[in-house]
Amino acid sequence: MAESSEKPTTNQSPIPKLDTTIKSSFHATNDVRRKWWKESIAYQIYPRSFQDTNGDGIGDIRGIIQRLDHIKELGADLIWICPIYKSPNDDNGYDISDYQQIMDVFGTMEEVEELIKAVHDRKMRIIFDLVLNHTSDEHPWFIESRSSRTNPKRDWYIWRDGKPGGLRPNNWESIFNGSAWEYDKETDQYYLHLFSRKMPDVNWECAELREQLYKVTNWWLDRGIDGFRIDAISHIKKKPGLPDLPNPKQLEFVSSFDYHMNVEGIEDYLSEFKRETYSKYDVVTVGEANGVGVDQAVDWVSEEKGKFNMIFQFEATNLWEKTLGTLDVLALKRIMTRWEKGLEKFGWNALFIENHDKPRIVSTWGNDKEYWRDCATTFATVYMLMMGTPFIYQGQEIGMTNVRFPSINDYPDVAAKNFYNLELAKGIDHNEIMQIIYITGRDNARTPMQWDDSLNSGFSTSQQTWIGVNPNYVRINVAQQEKDEHSILNFYKRLIRVRKENDVFVYGIYDLILSSHKQIYGYTRTSDTKRAYVLTNLTDRAAQFTLYQGLSTSQLVLSNLTEPVPEHKDEKSFKFHPYEIRVYIIDYKKKEHHHRRHPHEKKKHATDELDDVEAALSPETTKTADSNASLTKRQKAALDKLEQMSNNALQEPLQDARSILEAVAAATTKVLSETQPLEKPKSTTTKSISDTTDSDKVISADSAEIDLEHEPIQKKRERQRSLVLNLENITPTPPVASSSEQTTLDQPRRSFSTQASSKPSLKGHHADSSSDEDDSQDKRTTSTSELEDETSDTGGKDIDYAVLYDDSIEDFSFTYAREQAKKRLLREQQETMLKQIKEQE
């Protein structure tokens, strides 16, 4: 194999290392380490569908090289390549028959080396997919293993005798449907395959097998790649003894995730794997960790003892299966906030909304017809500005959609074919089966990349491609969107630029706001000198909300509207279009600090500092002197107890992030239970603004007047806590829009006027203008004339982190997804019938 003279023999990055650390003001004991992979934007390539250069209808390595500038211009700088190793291609390359050779249809090892060099020359990095849970049944290791029961490699795979009566070793179901066991006639035993029958699981219990896997890993690292995405790594440990699963429904095969996903003892394998391989290199590792919860994730990705730098978790992307394709915004908030806060001090998130195993996001969570551009840009914004490294899947940046091919023969995916054949054998109608595949099929994400409106979308000159091209390529393609200022592609470029130019989106603290709003996903990112507000309407209905912090046009850095947002200053009440987003950044350095303490000024007394905290937590609306005195007394008592309980909790040696969250949540709950709701004042006395002195002024937790340069660490912690604790019982609610305002939105979409009345009406927490019955109707409608009327609590203190553990992990399985798809189709049929009946009446 030819070696490039310019390529180092060991993995040395062409980009300067960033070894420095920065201190987070909000976590006095925590170092936030700067790493190149934290500041990267990753781009996933599915090679078969990216670019074909030799006319055989299959994408290849030279095609990736040809399109590198597209990725560079997008703003991504870390490329993840799905498997290109030698493979019989039963599962599109995830069934590897030789880890050190390249699949013929993709190219040669020399071309791979050329690709690595081309990426590095552009100051980008590249990682490969690595599959270590299983191999192909055509791998030489398995061929030897199945040759006889006494072969030295027999123990490299998982073999078992069948049960008496010709039964399989246990009742485990394969992730790809059917039994997880395949009978081998030659040796009269069964081998385990959690996925396809042509993908036997390797036996990690065997030390010799593990040693060979480590050698392969190091061999690729020495080729100069910058790390790995490691496939199905949470499945390598199986429950000892491989027992039957409980089967109360007397099923033929039982979903087996509990006995092979993140099983106790897997940590030993992962620690050894890291120690023997990538710990010796400056690379990034991302584990596909299905079944790993945030409370366990700290052990997987902690900066000190973690096994990987990041992991892919699937709680959020599985939401559409739970909700029949309609996004549950509240559940998404809980899940993402749980992960953001859970890894805040210890590790790092891998952020994604699409990949090669999931249907397209605009066709599942969104509306790929009426609001195609809008929902594509909204979903991009909501995840790409969180704490973590964002991953973009090819075609996502132009809003590629699901596809509907007429025949099962048009779908190469082995999982789809297995499902089709099993359902057909049960007597299910072809059309009914295909409807489910249209919703759940993995091939939705595998159609060729749509480059232009020429033959085969510019992907290939072949008359027939390996999988069909989505017919909508004539209007959805890169070439067309490059010329359109308002396209999804150009929005992605602006979004990435905003993230890269503002460190607050990389290392800033994440906090949820508007936590109970059913449409708006809002959060802040906060650093020592900046606070960013990310506000997104994730529904196809207009939404109204009120913030505690006033925001101005001068602070607006990103919007997905096609028309300019009307001028506004210190606006708090907003009305958003369906799928509208706005991103604001408040730069405290540019503000005039009215309360700046001189460097030589004597440090405040502890009681004075507590008074400042009280002021930060006081409601925005002014009250009588008696009312203020009562409020101060109650808040002092609450804060004293909260400070004591929280400090005691934080001083203990906590094992993981969940302990911290639960400790603070417990303290908050107790304080709230002991703090009675304030009585409504009998009278109010309002001071003129011109009469307000500095000593009278109330400084909110979000105020730009806070002296960030000289503010004590303890004060910063208290101020940050004020953003996440629920200590107030009065909520300003914007007035309900009049019927004249609730009209259908004009196209092209223009921003609503932000000059809504700021006069609050006093209601209970999370006041909603609609009844429960009305809300249930809202969920079923797509009318843009209906307006959701909700608001945040005062001070942004609408967060109760105790709710973040309400949802359990929903493990991904094709069986579950298809059950939900059937329900979704049934619901749509019922709605269609009802509509027809009404029309006839």
Side-chain angles (χ1 to χ4, degrees), residues 504-516:
V504 67
F505 292 119
V506 181
Y507 296 109
I509 301 299
Y510 165 101
D511 276 304
L512 183 66
I513 58 175
L514 299 163
S515 62
S516 294

Side-chain angles (χ1 to χ4, degrees), residues 588-603:
Y588 294 111
K589 279 189 173 180
K590 295 181 179 179
K591 298 286 184 178
E592 181 180 355
H593 302 309
H594 297 290
H595 290 271
R596 175 166 299 191
R597 177 167 54 86
H598 191 275
H600 300 294
E601 183 181 342
K602 186 177 180 180
K603 186 177 180 180

Side-chain angles (χ1 to χ4, degrees), residues 229 284 358 529 828:
R229 178 266 190 183
V284 63
K358 289 287 186 183
T529 60
E828 292 175 351

Side-chain angles (χ1 to χ4, degrees), residues 39 55 94 172 177 185 188 226 241 268 330 338 342 418 439 442 468 485 551 571 577 598 632 650 673-674 747 785 808:
E39 299 170 8
Y94 282 88
W172 293 10
N177 299 119
K185 185 177 180 180
D188 191 30
D226 301 292
D268 296 335
L330 294 177
R338 189 158 65 218
N418 286 350
I439 297 173
R442 298 191 299 174
E485 176 187 355
L551 299 172
E571 187 58 53
H577 286 270
H598 191 275
T632 300
L650 292 172
S673 66
E674 297 177 4
Q747 298 293 337
S785 64
S808 59

Side-chain angles (χ1 to χ4, degrees), residues 212-226:
Q212 288 302 311
L213 294 178
Y214 303 159
K215 286 183 178 179
V216 167
T217 303
N218 287 325
W219 187 86
W220 273 108
L221 290 172
D222 288 339
R223 305 276 75 74
I225 66 172
D226 301 292

Side-chain angles (χ1 to χ4, degrees), residues 74 262 286 327 514 644:
L74 179 65
N262 195 25
V286 189
L327 175 61
L514 299 163
Q644 180 182 359

